[in-house]
Amino acid sequence: MSLKSVLMPLVGFLYNGQLSVEGQLLTFKSGLLDLTKKPEGFRRHVSRLWKLYRHNHVTGRQLYVALEKQHFTIDLDENGFFRFETPVDKNYSNYDLDHLLKFYKDEKHTEEITVPAITLSSIYNVGHPKYIVISDVDDTILITHATSFLKRVPQTIVRHAFKRKEVEDMSKFYKELKKQGAEIFYVSNSEMNLFWIIKLFLITRKFPLGPIYLRYQKNWRDFIRSPKANNDQLKNVHKVSRIAYLINKFPDQKFLLVGDSGQKDPYTYQSIAQEFSNNISGIMIRDVNKGKKDEEMKEIEKSLKEIGVPFFLFHDPKEAMRQERRWYQSRVLKH
């Protein structure tokens, strides 16, 4: 297997004539990129996962981007990450963005950079949604047991994306949101190494697709170097900054934030709502603690009520659907 420079992930959206794209340039063995054909055996899955945490990111260089006659030059940071934003002169479809947006190593555009199949179809023309949903992934829609290291590791290592379990009926719930006219953005604290698992999970379980924003790719050494406290802080910064970025890009939209009570979602969403009370129109939290955090959730609900942001705690998706329909009637249709 030869080494290749690849873009994984490549994520973004087109809205009101403004294209926003970000990604990470990595060096992988080419055989690791065949991710989508069929479920694979345990040994191959574990081997692939291990190798995907042994990547090298490409730093200290520029990329050259072409979208038909428009050309851009972008800089990579120390992690091989980039973000660029530019006005475009056409209302490109999702298909156009997949096939016309090209990345090159050189200014003459002779060395095109590989965009793996799993990375394609990750930049969306979001059109004019009625509202925007920002959804967590772990234990909100995908069962990961994020609060238990002993349960989470086997879930990640043993289960291929085709076999990962969804929180029951959440895909049905999200399809209803999409039918109402929502655009869905997935914002997770998982690292980009797991992008392919999350995207294949969304496809396999028939969730509405949308941009998937994750943290930087990790190398296996990062798990040794990063103290837990520092890691938790970085996770919180990632989620807050990413949601704030999206709100600033869609300043006239209503936002519904969906997460779970297992980790920091209620507190993260509370702080976002306090900063952007005119944009956050509701918060929905799946209770994974079986009532153990009821008092904390009531305090959050009380503080949000003071700034006019509804807070819903749900125990199953059917309850969430009932709550959301009432929210939709009062917060979207009547405004």
Side-chain angles (χ1 to χ4, degrees):
M1 291 188 291
S2 60
L3 288 174
K4 275 189 175 182
S5 293
V6 302
L7 289 167
M8 195 167 87
L10 184 66
V11 182
F13 55 89
L14 175 62
Y15 179 66
N16 277 350
Q18 187 81 7
L19 180 64
S20 301
V21 178
E22 60 187 64
Q24 203 166 8
L25 184 63
L26 307 167
T27 302
F28 276 128
K29 290 185 177 179
S30 57
L32 294 175
L33 304 176
D34 180 19
L35 296 164
T36 60
K37 288 187 177 179
K38 61 182 179 180
E40 57 193 2
F42 169 75
R43 289 180 61 187
R44 180 168 172 75
H45 173 65
V46 172
S47 174
R48 185 197 304 280
L49 205 57
W50 167 244
K51 290 171 183 175
L52 285 170
Y53 278 91
R54 294 178 64 199
H55 71 274
N56 293 304
H57 45 252
V58 181
T59 61
R61 63 176 300 169
Q62 292 180 316
L63 294 184
Y64 302 90
V65 186
L67 179 60
E68 294 193 295
K69 294 180 181 180
Q70 293 182 271
H71 298 89
F72 325 102
T73 302
I74 54 179
D75 295 314
L76 302 179
D77 73 7
E78 67 276 9
N79 293 295
F81 180 84
F82 66 87
R83 178 189 292 160
F84 76 92
E85 299 171 353
T86 183
V88 294
D89 51 17
K90 289 184 182 179
N91 189 30
Y92 292 101
S93 68
N94 293 349
Y95 180 88
D96 293 335
L97 293 170
D98 260 354
H99 293 84
L100 299 178
L101 188 63
K102 305 289 186 181
F103 294 81
Y104 299 91
K105 293 181 181 180
D106 64 310
E107 196 169 2
K108 294 182 179 180
H109 295 182
T110 60
E111 297 181 75
E112 188 173 351
I113 296 170
T114 300
V115 179
I118 193 62
T119 295
L120 290 172
S121 304
S122 297
I123 304 173
Y124 299 86
N125 184 331
V126 300
H128 299 282
K130 285 187 178 179
Y131 64 99
I132 291 175
V133 174
I134 294 181
S135 173
D136 180 44
V137 174
D138 292 347
D139 290 324
T140 299
I141 61 172
L142 168 63
I143 294 175
T144 61
H145 303 292
T147 58
S148 171
F149 178 80
L150 294 177
K151 289 183 179 180
R152 183 177 186 178
V153 170
Q155 282 282 336
T156 303
I157 294 177
V158 175
R159 289 187 179 272
H160 187 273
F162 293 94
K163 299 178 181 179
R164 301 297 293 272
K165 293 182 178 180
E166 72 167 288
V167 174
E168 187 177 1
D169 284 335
M170 284 300 278
S171 59
K172 182 179 178 180
F173 177 33
Y174 278 43
K175 286 174 190 172
E176 181 167 319
L177 302 178
K178 186 72 175 179
K179 190 175 179 180
Q180 289 174 349
E183 282 293 335
I184 301 175
F185 289 72
Y186 298 94
V187 179
S188 170
N189 279 325
S190 293
E191 54 270 17
M192 290 181 185
N193 310 66
L194 301 177
F195 173 85
W196 63 282
I197 288 181
I198 292 171
K199 188 171 180 184
L200 281 180
F201 163 79
L202 294 174
I203 293 169
T204 303
R205 300 301 177 189
K206 297 181 171 56
F207 278 83
L209 297 180
I212 303 168
Y213 291 102
L214 308 175
R215 291 193 300 144
Y216 280 148
Q217 296 268 359
K218 279 189 173 183
N219 190 285
W220 66 271
R221 295 182 185 87
D222 295 329
F223 292 97
I224 300 171
R225 293 170 183 161
S226 301
K228 184 180 185 304
N230 185 48
N231 195 41
D232 288 345
Q233 185 178 8
L234 289 174
K235 284 182 179 182
N236 190 54
V237 168
H238 159 73
K239 208 162 207 178
V240 169
S241 64
R242 179 60 64 228
I243 295 173
Y245 167 77
L246 291 172
I247 292 171
N248 286 323
K249 289 299 167 186
F250 298 88
D252 300 322
Q253 287 289 337
K254 299 178 187 300
F255 284 79
L256 178 65
L257 309 182
V258 185
D260 66 88
S261 65
Q263 293 185 305
K264 301 291 184 182
D265 285 347
Y267 311 100
T268 300
Y269 292 171
Q270 179 186 27
S271 67
I272 288 287
Q274 288 168 340
E275 184 175 353
F276 298 98
S277 59
N278 291 331
N279 305 91
I280 305 303
S281 219
I283 294 172
M284 303 191 71
I285 297 294
R286 175 179 173 251
D287 181 14
V288 299
N289 300 104
K290 299 179 180 179
K292 294 178 182 178
K293 290 187 176 181
D294 279 359
E295 291 304 315
E296 294 175 49
M297 297 302 103
K298 286 177 182 177
E299 286 298 316
I300 292 174
E301 181 180 11
K302 181 180 176 182
S303 72
L304 290 171
K305 188 176 182 179
E306 292 173 357
I307 57 174
V309 177
F311 178 88
F312 306 100
L313 187 68
F314 66 92
H315 301 86
D316 63 76
K318 290 180 181 178
E319 182 183 6
M321 282 186 256
R322 290 193 297 270
Q323 293 171 340
E324 191 279 335
R325 285 169 192 154
R326 291 195 295 270
W327 171 86
Y328 178 71
Q329 289 287 336
S330 64
R331 289 281 176 149
V332 179
L333 293 183
K334 291 185 179 180
H335 287 264

